[in-house]
């Protein structure tokens, strides 16, 4: 077993969090101490209490300082208001420390009966953690139409694909599945498909495949044992990793890690379970398994295996389990479950799949702005998003008239992606939100600031516009998608 002198103990920020957080954190710390893990905890605050104190990030500066200093954190669940109020403190912490990789192992646990038991499910979802719709850039564009911006960078795709490969190699896995919605979102999801496949091909020891993400959801339920490592954009990964957790026993037993270049934060996938908080009913398994991942991250492989085996033996024997996973009528409290796990330390489960864990070798990324070089760029047009109650024929005519005599021609008008001018479909449901696509009649010079300003003035004289997007071509390829039916 790893036994480090006190002076070499690893300092870890412990954020108990909200609801059941205090109970599952206490339980985890007790098991780690009994297992001889060389950890020194720095308790820190985040979540509801921080919000109540008026700290809008949900994490006080002392907490951020502690995470910065330790570089490793174990975190309980943090409450987030749904649909209103402050941003999620979880997402904020991931962003502040650029923890770009969310790792969620999905492994069948002994003793936890599910409809999938016996299938040998054992894979890991690697979810991009800081980009995509979770940038949280949203606007009501009109009083009745909302927009969220889905931002995906090539560098972000490269980082997460490299991490998926590094994890696969560290765990001795053989295949990486890149799952995207590139068939519909050709630019954003398409970037992960292109870059992900490019990265994985650089590792000849790893097999690779691309799968459309909705089929991936289907395949995870139909034949989950086919997966090894799956890499996805943020929102897809969020949803599919919860689905995957459901295959092996649910959120109460699902661990996760958030990895960045200099900070790693480990947490259970579940939330604060306010209905059972303070009642000694919470299952600490998910946080314990997250702590096992943490111990491996800091190189304490023997202590990690000791905790993992004790947990597995406890689950296998089925004695003293918490109510959510126990046989009906046999559930015990959190504290009794922890006592049982501690009593089982030193015992070995025959069912823990043999795996040679090695430290994940994460690629170092430059701190300077990442900019993709281009050999050519052209400006071919402008999309203007505008609010209007006009019928499309009248709107099209008015926009055509507005640009008469300018360097632009109106190519089309669409409503939420469906063309309504010059061609319209009788079934299209209209709201007050339109996109007008103007193309330069002759090649634009440079950034065409004056022409675009003039275009906005012309359109703005008659319509309320709220958003402008340049239509560009990089290295000869369109850097925008076409509308349905657009030639
Ligand atoms: P939840 O995970 O808290 O609860 C879902 C269900 O699972 C409930 O029935 C709950 O009792 C049960 N459950 C969850 N963890 C359990 C455990 N360890 N032992 C036994 N049963 C458990 O999800 P929710 O109700 O949607 O969210 C509650 C709050 O938690 C919300 O404020 C949400 O924003 C927050 N949340 C935080 C995180 C996080 O910090 N990473 C994740 C998810 C939700």
């Amino acid at each position: 077993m790893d036994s480090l002198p006190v002076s070499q103990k690893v300092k870890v920020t412990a954020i108990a969090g909200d609801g059941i957080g205090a109970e599952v954190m206490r339980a985890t710390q007790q098991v780690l101490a009994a297992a001889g893990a060389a950890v020194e905890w720095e308790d820190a605050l985040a979540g509801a209490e921080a919000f109540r104190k008026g700290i809008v990030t949900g994490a006080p500066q002392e907490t951020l300082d502690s995470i910065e200093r330790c570089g490793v954190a174990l975190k309980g669940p943090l409450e987030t208001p749904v649909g209103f109020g402050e941003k999620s403190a979880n997402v904020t912490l991931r962003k502040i420390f650029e923890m770009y990789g969310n790792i969620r192992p999905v492994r069948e646990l002994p003793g936890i009966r599910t409809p999938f038991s016996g299938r040998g499910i054992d894979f890991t979802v690697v979810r991009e953690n800081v980009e995509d719709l979770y940038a949280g850039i949203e606007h009501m564009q009109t009083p009745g139409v909302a927009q969220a911006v889905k931002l995906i960078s090539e560098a972000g795709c490269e980082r997460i694909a490299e991490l998926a490969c590094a994890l696969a190699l560290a765990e001795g896995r053989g295949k990486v599945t890149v799952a995207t919605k590139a068939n519909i979102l050709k630019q954003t999801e398409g970037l992960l498909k292109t870059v992900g496949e490019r990265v994985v091909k650089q590792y000849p020891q790893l097999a690779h495949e691309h799968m459309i993400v909705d089929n991936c959801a289907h395949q995870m339920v139909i034949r989950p044992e086919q997966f090894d490592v799956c890499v996805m954009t943020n929102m897809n990964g969020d949803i599919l990793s919860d689905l995957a957790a459901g295959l092996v026993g649910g959120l109460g037993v699902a661990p996760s890690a958030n990895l960045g270049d200099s900070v790693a934060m480990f947490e259970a996938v579940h939330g604060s379970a306010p209905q059972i908080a303070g009642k000694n009913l919470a299952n600490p398994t998910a946080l314990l398994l997250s702590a096992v991942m943490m111990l491996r991250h800091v190189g304490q492989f023997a202590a990690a295996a000791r905790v993992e085996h004790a947990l597995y033996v406890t689950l296998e024997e089925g004695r003293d389990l918490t109510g959510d996973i126990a046989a009906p009528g046999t559930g015990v409290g959190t504290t009794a479950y922890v006592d049982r796990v501690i009593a089982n330390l030193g015992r070995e489960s025959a069912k823990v799949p043999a795996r040679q864990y090695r430290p994940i070798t994460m690629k170092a990324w430059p701190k300077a702005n990442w900019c993709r070089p281009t050999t050519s760029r052209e400006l071919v047009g402008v999309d203007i998003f505008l609010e209007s109650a006009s019928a499309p024929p009248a709107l099209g005519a008015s926009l055509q008239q507005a640009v008469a005599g300018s360097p632009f021609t109106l190519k089309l008008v669409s409503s939420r992606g469906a063309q309504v001018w010059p061609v319209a479909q009788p079934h299209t449901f209209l709201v007050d939100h339109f996109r007008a696509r103007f193309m330069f009649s002759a090649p634009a010079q440079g950034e065409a600031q004056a022409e675009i300003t003039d275009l906005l003035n012309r359109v703005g004289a008659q319509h309320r516009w709220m958003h402008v997007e340049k239509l560009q071509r990089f290295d000869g390829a369109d850097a925008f998608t076409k509308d349905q039916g657009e030639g």
Side-chain angles (χ1 to χ4, degrees), residues 20 24 75-82 90 94 251-252 267-276 281-284 286 324:
I20 58 172
V24 292
K75 189 184 76 59
L78 306 181
E79 268 175 32
T80 309
V82 178
N90 293 307
R94 290 171 198 164
L251 297 183
E267 61 180 324
V269 170
H270 63 70
S272 58
Q275 319 85 339
I276 58 167
L281 292 174
N283 183 351
D324 57 317

PDB file of all heavy atoms in Angstrom, residues 20 24 75-82 90 94 251-252 267-276 281-284 286 324, ligand 1:
ATOM      1  N   ILE A  20     -27.107  16.580   0.695  1.00  0.00           N
ATOM      2  CA  ILE A  20     -26.445  15.392   1.255  1.00  0.00           C
ATOM      3  C   ILE A  20     -24.921  15.500   1.211  1.00  0.00           C
ATOM      4  O   ILE A  20     -24.220  14.578   1.653  1.00  0.00           O
ATOM      5  CB  ILE A  20     -26.869  14.100   0.514  1.00  0.00           C
ATOM      6  CG1 ILE A  20     -26.539  14.210  -0.998  1.00  0.00           C
ATOM      7  CG2 ILE A  20     -28.337  13.795   0.730  1.00  0.00           C
ATOM      8  CD1 ILE A  20     -26.742  12.904  -1.764  1.00  0.00           C
ATOM      9  N   VAL A  24     -22.062  12.677   2.603  1.00  0.00           N
ATOM     10  CA  VAL A  24     -21.274  11.793   1.735  1.00  0.00           C
ATOM     11  C   VAL A  24     -19.796  12.181   1.784  1.00  0.00           C
ATOM     12  O   VAL A  24     -18.922  11.316   1.658  1.00  0.00           O
ATOM     13  CB  VAL A  24     -21.821  11.753   0.273  1.00  0.00           C
ATOM     14  CG1 VAL A  24     -23.170  11.066   0.231  1.00  0.00           C
ATOM     15  CG2 VAL A  24     -21.893  13.124  -0.368  1.00  0.00           C
ATOM     16  N   LYS A  75     -15.338  17.279  -4.438  1.00  0.00           N
ATOM     17  CA  LYS A  75     -16.464  18.191  -4.274  1.00  0.00           C
ATOM     18  C   LYS A  75     -17.780  17.435  -4.128  1.00  0.00           C
ATOM     19  O   LYS A  75     -18.047  16.496  -4.873  1.00  0.00           O
ATOM     20  CB  LYS A  75     -16.532  19.108  -5.508  1.00  0.00           C
ATOM     21  CG  LYS A  75     -17.535  20.241  -5.368  1.00  0.00           C
ATOM     22  CD  LYS A  75     -17.629  21.034  -6.648  1.00  0.00           C
ATOM     23  CE  LYS A  75     -18.416  20.339  -7.703  1.00  0.00           C
ATOM     24  NZ  LYS A  75     -19.811  20.026  -7.348  1.00  0.00           N
ATOM     25  N   GLY A  76     -18.581  17.869  -3.180  1.00  0.00           N
ATOM     26  CA  GLY A  76     -19.944  17.368  -3.049  1.00  0.00           C
ATOM     27  C   GLY A  76     -20.845  18.146  -3.996  1.00  0.00           C
ATOM     28  O   GLY A  76     -20.397  19.058  -4.690  1.00  0.00           O
ATOM     29  N   PRO A  77     -22.135  17.813  -4.017  1.00  0.00           N
ATOM     30  CA  PRO A  77     -23.049  18.481  -4.960  1.00  0.00           C
ATOM     31  C   PRO A  77     -23.339  19.930  -4.567  1.00  0.00           C
ATOM     32  O   PRO A  77     -23.407  20.245  -3.375  1.00  0.00           O
ATOM     33  CB  PRO A  77     -24.318  17.641  -4.866  1.00  0.00           C
ATOM     34  CG  PRO A  77     -24.236  16.978  -3.531  1.00  0.00           C
ATOM     35  CD  PRO A  77     -22.798  16.774  -3.209  1.00  0.00           C
ATOM     36  N   LEU A  78     -23.518  20.776  -5.556  1.00  0.00           N
ATOM     37  CA  LEU A  78     -23.859  22.176  -5.320  1.00  0.00           C
ATOM     38  C   LEU A  78     -25.215  22.463  -5.950  1.00  0.00           C
ATOM     39  O   LEU A  78     -25.440  22.119  -7.117  1.00  0.00           O
ATOM     40  CB  LEU A  78     -22.803  23.104  -5.947  1.00  0.00           C
ATOM     41  CG  LEU A  78     -21.342  22.844  -5.547  1.00  0.00           C
ATOM     42  CD1 LEU A  78     -20.425  23.845  -6.229  1.00  0.00           C
ATOM     43  CD2 LEU A  78     -21.171  22.910  -4.038  1.00  0.00           C
ATOM     44  N   GLU A  79     -26.087  23.084  -5.191  1.00  0.00           N
ATOM     45  CA  GLU A  79     -27.423  23.409  -5.710  1.00  0.00           C
ATOM     46  C   GLU A  79     -27.324  24.487  -6.778  1.00  0.00           C
ATOM     47  O   GLU A  79     -26.541  25.418  -6.649  1.00  0.00           O
ATOM     48  CB  GLU A  79     -28.278  23.985  -4.578  1.00  0.00           C
ATOM     49  CG  GLU A  79     -29.077  22.943  -3.840  1.00  0.00           C
ATOM     50  CD  GLU A  79     -29.804  23.539  -2.650  1.00  0.00           C
ATOM     51  OE1 GLU A  79     -30.205  24.716  -2.717  1.00  0.00           O
ATOM     52  OE2 GLU A  79     -29.917  22.819  -1.653  1.00  0.00           O
ATOM     53  N   THR A  80     -28.158  24.358  -7.797  1.00  0.00           N
ATOM     54  CA  THR A  80     -28.222  25.394  -8.828  1.00  0.00           C
ATOM     55  C   THR A  80     -29.681  25.753  -9.049  1.00  0.00           C
ATOM     56  O   THR A  80     -30.502  24.857  -9.259  1.00  0.00           O
ATOM     57  CB  THR A  80     -27.661  24.869 -10.172  1.00  0.00           C
ATOM     58  OG1 THR A  80     -26.395  24.291  -9.930  1.00  0.00           O
ATOM     59  CG2 THR A  80     -27.523  25.991 -11.179  1.00  0.00           C
ATOM     60  N   PRO A  81     -30.015  27.062  -9.029  1.00  0.00           N
ATOM     61  CA  PRO A  81     -31.385  27.415  -9.359  1.00  0.00           C
ATOM     62  C   PRO A  81     -31.691  26.996 -10.801  1.00  0.00           C
ATOM     63  O   PRO A  81     -30.836  27.134 -11.668  1.00  0.00           O
ATOM     64  CB  PRO A  81     -31.411  28.952  -9.235  1.00  0.00           C
ATOM     65  CG  PRO A  81     -30.127  29.336  -8.595  1.00  0.00           C
ATOM     66  CD  PRO A  81     -29.163  28.226  -8.808  1.00  0.00           C
ATOM     67  N   VAL A  82     -32.884  26.437 -11.057  1.00  0.00           N
ATOM     68  CA  VAL A  82     -33.230  25.980 -12.415  1.00  0.00           C
ATOM     69  C   VAL A  82     -34.067  27.056 -13.110  1.00  0.00           C
ATOM     70  O   VAL A  82     -35.091  27.468 -12.589  1.00  0.00           O
ATOM     71  CB  VAL A  82     -34.028  24.648 -12.364  1.00  0.00           C
ATOM     72  CG1 VAL A  82     -34.426  24.198 -13.768  1.00  0.00           C
ATOM     73  CG2 VAL A  82     -33.192  23.574 -11.682  1.00  0.00           C
ATOM     74  N   ASN A  90     -21.008  24.921 -10.183  1.00  0.00           N
ATOM     75  CA  ASN A  90     -20.235  23.808 -10.749  1.00  0.00           C
ATOM     76  C   ASN A  90     -19.601  24.215 -12.063  1.00  0.00           C
ATOM     77  O   ASN A  90     -18.412  24.025 -12.294  1.00  0.00           O
ATOM     78  CB  ASN A  90     -21.152  22.610 -11.031  1.00  0.00           C
ATOM     79  CG  ASN A  90     -21.683  22.002  -9.758  1.00  0.00           C
ATOM     80  OD1 ASN A  90     -20.914  21.671  -8.880  1.00  0.00           O
ATOM     81  ND2 ASN A  90     -22.985  21.886  -9.652  1.00  0.00           N
ATOM     82  N   ARG A  94     -15.602  24.796 -13.126  1.00  0.00           N
ATOM     83  CA  ARG A  94     -14.971  24.124 -14.271  1.00  0.00           C
ATOM     84  C   ARG A  94     -14.360  25.151 -15.208  1.00  0.00           C
ATOM     85  O   ARG A  94     -13.285  24.933 -15.776  1.00  0.00           O
ATOM     86  CB  ARG A  94     -16.009  23.305 -15.041  1.00  0.00           C
ATOM     87  CG  ARG A  94     -16.479  22.100 -14.274  1.00  0.00           C
ATOM     88  CD  ARG A  94     -17.660  21.452 -14.966  1.00  0.00           C
ATOM     89  NE  ARG A  94     -18.363  20.572 -14.038  1.00  0.00           N
ATOM     90  CZ  ARG A  94     -19.582  20.108 -14.233  1.00  0.00           C
ATOM     91  NH1 ARG A  94     -20.249  20.421 -15.314  1.00  0.00           N
ATOM     92  NH2 ARG A  94     -20.147  19.315 -13.356  1.00  0.00           N
ATOM     93  N   LEU A 251     -27.461   7.368 -10.644  1.00  0.00           N
ATOM     94  CA  LEU A 251     -26.620   8.488 -10.219  1.00  0.00           C
ATOM     95  C   LEU A 251     -25.971   8.254  -8.862  1.00  0.00           C
ATOM     96  O   LEU A 251     -24.894   8.767  -8.591  1.00  0.00           O
ATOM     97  CB  LEU A 251     -27.477   9.768 -10.154  1.00  0.00           C
ATOM     98  CG  LEU A 251     -28.070  10.245 -11.488  1.00  0.00           C
ATOM     99  CD1 LEU A 251     -28.833  11.543 -11.295  1.00  0.00           C
ATOM    100  CD2 LEU A 251     -26.981  10.420 -12.535  1.00  0.00           C
ATOM    101  N   GLY A 252     -26.627   7.486  -8.002  1.00  0.00           N
ATOM    102  CA  GLY A 252     -26.088   7.263  -6.656  1.00  0.00           C
ATOM    103  C   GLY A 252     -24.748   6.538  -6.638  1.00  0.00           C
ATOM    104  O   GLY A 252     -24.040   6.553  -5.638  1.00  0.00           O
ATOM    105  N   GLU A 267     -15.915  14.534  -8.402  1.00  0.00           N
ATOM    106  CA  GLU A 267     -17.237  14.714  -7.804  1.00  0.00           C
ATOM    107  C   GLU A 267     -18.175  13.603  -8.236  1.00  0.00           C
ATOM    108  O   GLU A 267     -18.014  13.019  -9.311  1.00  0.00           O
ATOM    109  CB  GLU A 267     -17.836  16.069  -8.204  1.00  0.00           C
ATOM    110  CG  GLU A 267     -18.026  16.247  -9.685  1.00  0.00           C
ATOM    111  CD  GLU A 267     -18.619  17.599 -10.052  1.00  0.00           C
ATOM    112  OE1 GLU A 267     -19.465  18.104  -9.309  1.00  0.00           O
ATOM    113  OE2 GLU A 267     -18.240  18.142 -11.102  1.00  0.00           O
ATOM    114  N   ALA A 268     -19.174  13.342  -7.374  1.00  0.00           N
ATOM    115  CA  ALA A 268     -20.228  12.418  -7.756  1.00  0.00           C
ATOM    116  C   ALA A 268     -21.063  13.071  -8.843  1.00  0.00           C
ATOM    117  O   ALA A 268     -21.122  14.297  -8.941  1.00  0.00           O
ATOM    118  CB  ALA A 268     -21.098  12.122  -6.537  1.00  0.00           C
ATOM    119  N   VAL A 269     -21.703  12.244  -9.671  1.00  0.00           N
ATOM    120  CA  VAL A 269     -22.536  12.809 -10.737  1.00  0.00           C
ATOM    121  C   VAL A 269     -23.859  13.341 -10.168  1.00  0.00           C
ATOM    122  O   VAL A 269     -24.436  14.280 -10.695  1.00  0.00           O
ATOM    123  CB  VAL A 269     -22.770  11.725 -11.829  1.00  0.00           C
ATOM    124  CG1 VAL A 269     -23.820  12.167 -12.828  1.00  0.00           C
ATOM    125  CG2 VAL A 269     -21.449  11.401 -12.534  1.00  0.00           C
ATOM    126  N   HIS A 270     -24.299  12.754  -9.049  1.00  0.00           N
ATOM    127  CA  HIS A 270     -25.615  13.143  -8.526  1.00  0.00           C
ATOM    128  C   HIS A 270     -25.620  14.551  -7.939  1.00  0.00           C
ATOM    129  O   HIS A 270     -24.584  15.169  -7.736  1.00  0.00           O
ATOM    130  CB  HIS A 270     -26.100  12.133  -7.473  1.00  0.00           C
ATOM    131  CG  HIS A 270     -25.234  12.057  -6.237  1.00  0.00           C
ATOM    132  ND1 HIS A 270     -25.177  13.067  -5.319  1.00  0.00           N
ATOM    133  CD2 HIS A 270     -24.400  11.079  -5.787  1.00  0.00           C
ATOM    134  CE1 HIS A 270     -24.353  12.716  -4.341  1.00  0.00           C
ATOM    135  NE2 HIS A 270     -23.854  11.519  -4.620  1.00  0.00           N
ATOM    136  N   GLY A 271     -26.838  15.030  -7.665  1.00  0.00           N
ATOM    137  CA  GLY A 271     -27.014  16.350  -7.080  1.00  0.00           C
ATOM    138  C   GLY A 271     -27.166  16.289  -5.566  1.00  0.00           C
ATOM    139  O   GLY A 271     -26.788  15.292  -4.929  1.00  0.00           O
ATOM    140  N   SER A 272     -27.765  17.350  -5.011  1.00  0.00           N
ATOM    141  CA  SER A 272     -27.777  17.517  -3.558  1.00  0.00           C
ATOM    142  C   SER A 272     -28.910  16.748  -2.864  1.00  0.00           C
ATOM    143  O   SER A 272     -29.000  16.767  -1.642  1.00  0.00           O
ATOM    144  CB  SER A 272     -27.888  19.006  -3.225  1.00  0.00           C
ATOM    145  OG  SER A 272     -29.058  19.537  -3.821  1.00  0.00           O
ATOM    146  N   ALA A 273     -29.756  16.089  -3.647  1.00  0.00           N
ATOM    147  CA  ALA A 273     -30.848  15.253  -3.119  1.00  0.00           C
ATOM    148  C   ALA A 273     -31.489  15.869  -1.872  1.00  0.00           C
ATOM    149  O   ALA A 273     -31.465  15.257  -0.792  1.00  0.00           O
ATOM    150  CB  ALA A 273     -30.327  13.833  -2.825  1.00  0.00           C
ATOM    151  N   PRO A 274     -32.073  17.061  -2.003  1.00  0.00           N
ATOM    152  CA  PRO A 274     -32.556  17.760  -0.803  1.00  0.00           C
ATOM    153  C   PRO A 274     -33.608  16.986  -0.010  1.00  0.00           C
ATOM    154  O   PRO A 274     -33.698  17.131   1.209  1.00  0.00           O
ATOM    155  CB  PRO A 274     -33.145  19.076  -1.365  1.00  0.00           C
ATOM    156  CG  PRO A 274     -33.299  18.866  -2.840  1.00  0.00           C
ATOM    157  CD  PRO A 274     -32.311  17.825  -3.248  1.00  0.00           C
ATOM    158  N   GLN A 275     -34.346  16.083  -0.698  1.00  0.00           N
ATOM    159  CA  GLN A 275     -35.415  15.341   0.005  1.00  0.00           C
ATOM    160  C   GLN A 275     -34.852  14.433   1.092  1.00  0.00           C
ATOM    161  O   GLN A 275     -35.531  14.136   2.068  1.00  0.00           O
ATOM    162  CB  GLN A 275     -36.227  14.449  -0.969  1.00  0.00           C
ATOM    163  CG  GLN A 275     -36.573  15.033  -2.316  1.00  0.00           C
ATOM    164  CD  GLN A 275     -35.442  14.859  -3.354  1.00  0.00           C
ATOM    165  OE1 GLN A 275     -34.272  14.664  -3.020  1.00  0.00           O
ATOM    166  NE2 GLN A 275     -35.807  14.988  -4.628  1.00  0.00           N
ATOM    167  N   ILE A 276     -33.617  13.953   0.910  1.00  0.00           N
ATOM    168  CA  ILE A 276     -33.081  13.001   1.899  1.00  0.00           C
ATOM    169  C   ILE A 276     -31.930  13.599   2.718  1.00  0.00           C
ATOM    170  O   ILE A 276     -31.325  12.910   3.543  1.00  0.00           O
ATOM    171  CB  ILE A 276     -32.630  11.680   1.221  1.00  0.00           C
ATOM    172  CG1 ILE A 276     -31.560  11.953   0.144  1.00  0.00           C
ATOM    173  CG2 ILE A 276     -33.808  10.926   0.626  1.00  0.00           C
ATOM    174  CD1 ILE A 276     -30.871  10.674  -0.330  1.00  0.00           C
ATOM    175  N   LEU A 281     -29.541   8.946   5.018  1.00  0.00           N
ATOM    176  CA  LEU A 281     -30.038   8.012   3.999  1.00  0.00           C
ATOM    177  C   LEU A 281     -29.170   8.001   2.748  1.00  0.00           C
ATOM    178  O   LEU A 281     -29.291   7.116   1.897  1.00  0.00           O
ATOM    179  CB  LEU A 281     -31.480   8.414   3.583  1.00  0.00           C
ATOM    180  CG  LEU A 281     -32.574   8.246   4.623  1.00  0.00           C
ATOM    181  CD1 LEU A 281     -33.892   8.837   4.103  1.00  0.00           C
ATOM    182  CD2 LEU A 281     -32.762   6.763   4.961  1.00  0.00           C
ATOM    183  N   ALA A 282     -28.292   8.993   2.611  1.00  0.00           N
ATOM    184  CA  ALA A 282     -27.559   9.162   1.342  1.00  0.00           C
ATOM    185  C   ALA A 282     -26.571   8.031   1.120  1.00  0.00           C
ATOM    186  O   ALA A 282     -25.935   7.530   2.048  1.00  0.00           O
ATOM    187  CB  ALA A 282     -26.819  10.488   1.352  1.00  0.00           C
ATOM    188  N   ASN A 283     -26.433   7.660  -0.136  1.00  0.00           N
ATOM    189  CA  ASN A 283     -25.457   6.644  -0.536  1.00  0.00           C
ATOM    190  C   ASN A 283     -24.147   7.368  -0.920  1.00  0.00           C
ATOM    191  O   ASN A 283     -24.134   8.146  -1.868  1.00  0.00           O
ATOM    192  CB  ASN A 283     -26.015   5.875  -1.749  1.00  0.00           C
ATOM    193  CG  ASN A 283     -25.108   4.756  -2.182  1.00  0.00           C
ATOM    194  OD1 ASN A 283     -23.980   4.632  -1.713  1.00  0.00           O
ATOM    195  ND2 ASN A 283     -25.602   3.940  -3.104  1.00  0.00           N
ATOM    196  N   PRO A 284     -23.060   7.100  -0.213  1.00  0.00           N
ATOM    197  CA  PRO A 284     -21.809   7.809  -0.525  1.00  0.00           C
ATOM    198  C   PRO A 284     -20.968   7.137  -1.607  1.00  0.00           C
ATOM    199  O   PRO A 284     -19.846   7.562  -1.883  1.00  0.00           O
ATOM    200  CB  PRO A 284     -21.066   7.776   0.818  1.00  0.00           C
ATOM    201  CG  PRO A 284     -21.521   6.496   1.446  1.00  0.00           C
ATOM    202  CD  PRO A 284     -22.928   6.227   0.963  1.00  0.00           C
ATOM    203  N   ALA A 286     -20.955   7.015  -4.866  1.00  0.00           N
ATOM    204  CA  ALA A 286     -20.504   7.796  -6.024  1.00  0.00           C
ATOM    205  C   ALA A 286     -19.332   8.701  -5.652  1.00  0.00           C
ATOM    206  O   ALA A 286     -18.353   8.806  -6.396  1.00  0.00           O
ATOM    207  CB  ALA A 286     -21.663   8.631  -6.567  1.00  0.00           C
ATOM    208  N   ASP A 324     -31.248   2.943  -1.206  1.00  0.00           N
ATOM    209  CA  ASP A 324     -31.429   3.081  -2.657  1.00  0.00           C
ATOM    210  C   ASP A 324     -30.903   1.880  -3.432  1.00  0.00           C
ATOM    211  O   ASP A 324     -31.327   1.640  -4.565  1.00  0.00           O
ATOM    212  CB  ASP A 324     -30.736   4.368  -3.165  1.00  0.00           C
ATOM    213  CG  ASP A 324     -29.257   4.403  -2.813  1.00  0.00           C
ATOM    214  OD1 ASP A 324     -28.899   4.045  -1.679  1.00  0.00           O
ATOM    215  OD2 ASP A 324     -28.448   4.779  -3.684  1.00  0.00           O
TER     216      ASP A 324
HETATM  217  P1  LIG B   1     -30.324  14.662  -7.500  1.00  0.00           P
HETATM  218  O1  LIG B   1     -29.202  13.860  -8.055  1.00  0.00           O
HETATM  219  O2  LIG B   1     -30.027  15.486  -6.311  1.00  0.00           O
HETATM  220  O3  LIG B   1     -31.515  13.657  -7.106  1.00  0.00           O
HETATM  221  C1  LIG B   1     -32.139  12.789  -8.058  1.00  0.00           C
HETATM  222  C2  LIG B   1     -32.718  11.574  -7.325  1.00  0.00           C
HETATM  223  O4  LIG B   1     -31.657  10.699  -6.929  1.00  0.00           O
HETATM  224  C3  LIG B   1     -33.451  11.922  -6.038  1.00  0.00           C
HETATM  225  O5  LIG B   1     -34.486  10.995  -5.869  1.00  0.00           O
HETATM  226  C4  LIG B   1     -32.403  11.711  -4.952  1.00  0.00           C
HETATM  227  O6  LIG B   1     -32.941  11.439  -3.699  1.00  0.00           O
HETATM  228  C5  LIG B   1     -31.615  10.535  -5.508  1.00  0.00           C
HETATM  229  N1  LIG B   1     -30.213  10.561  -5.108  1.00  0.00           N
HETATM  230  C6  LIG B   1     -29.242  11.377  -5.613  1.00  0.00           C
HETATM  231  N2  LIG B   1     -28.072  11.141  -5.022  1.00  0.00           N
HETATM  232  C7  LIG B   1     -28.296  10.157  -4.121  1.00  0.00           C
HETATM  233  C8  LIG B   1     -27.461   9.474  -3.204  1.00  0.00           C
HETATM  234  N3  LIG B   1     -26.147   9.754  -3.107  1.00  0.00           N
HETATM  235  N4  LIG B   1     -28.014   8.544  -2.411  1.00  0.00           N
HETATM  236  C9  LIG B   1     -29.310   8.235  -2.517  1.00  0.00           C
HETATM  237  N5  LIG B   1     -30.154   8.831  -3.391  1.00  0.00           N
HETATM  238  C10 LIG B   1     -29.651   9.788  -4.174  1.00  0.00           C
HETATM  239  O7  LIG B   1     -30.897  15.526  -8.692  1.00  0.00           O
HETATM  240  P2  LIG B   1     -31.896  16.781  -8.695  1.00  0.00           P
HETATM  241  O8  LIG B   1     -32.989  16.540  -7.705  1.00  0.00           O
HETATM  242  O9  LIG B   1     -32.221  17.000 -10.103  1.00  0.00           O
HETATM  243  O10 LIG B   1     -31.015  18.011  -8.203  1.00  0.00           O
HETATM  244  C11 LIG B   1     -31.022  18.547  -6.875  1.00  0.00           C
HETATM  245  C12 LIG B   1     -30.041  19.715  -6.830  1.00  0.00           C
HETATM  246  O11 LIG B   1     -28.714  19.264  -7.080  1.00  0.00           O
HETATM  247  C13 LIG B   1     -30.338  20.819  -7.846  1.00  0.00           C
HETATM  248  O12 LIG B   1     -30.111  22.075  -7.237  1.00  0.00           O
HETATM  249  C14 LIG B   1     -29.300  20.589  -8.938  1.00  0.00           C
HETATM  250  O13 LIG B   1     -28.974  21.756  -9.633  1.00  0.00           O
HETATM  251  C15 LIG B   1     -28.129  20.075  -8.110  1.00  0.00           C
HETATM  252  N6  LIG B   1     -27.176  19.232  -8.882  1.00  0.00           N
HETATM  253  C16 LIG B   1     -25.854  19.403  -8.613  1.00  0.00           C
HETATM  254  C17 LIG B   1     -24.932  18.611  -9.255  1.00  0.00           C
HETATM  255  C18 LIG B   1     -23.473  18.809  -8.943  1.00  0.00           C
HETATM  256  O14 LIG B   1     -23.145  19.509  -8.012  1.00  0.00           O
HETATM  257  N7  LIG B   1     -22.557  18.224  -9.712  1.00  0.00           N
HETATM  258  C19 LIG B   1     -25.336  17.624 -10.161  1.00  0.00           C
HETATM  259  C20 LIG B   1     -26.715  17.450 -10.389  1.00  0.00           C
HETATM  260  C21 LIG B   1     -27.629  18.264  -9.733  1.00  0.00           C
END
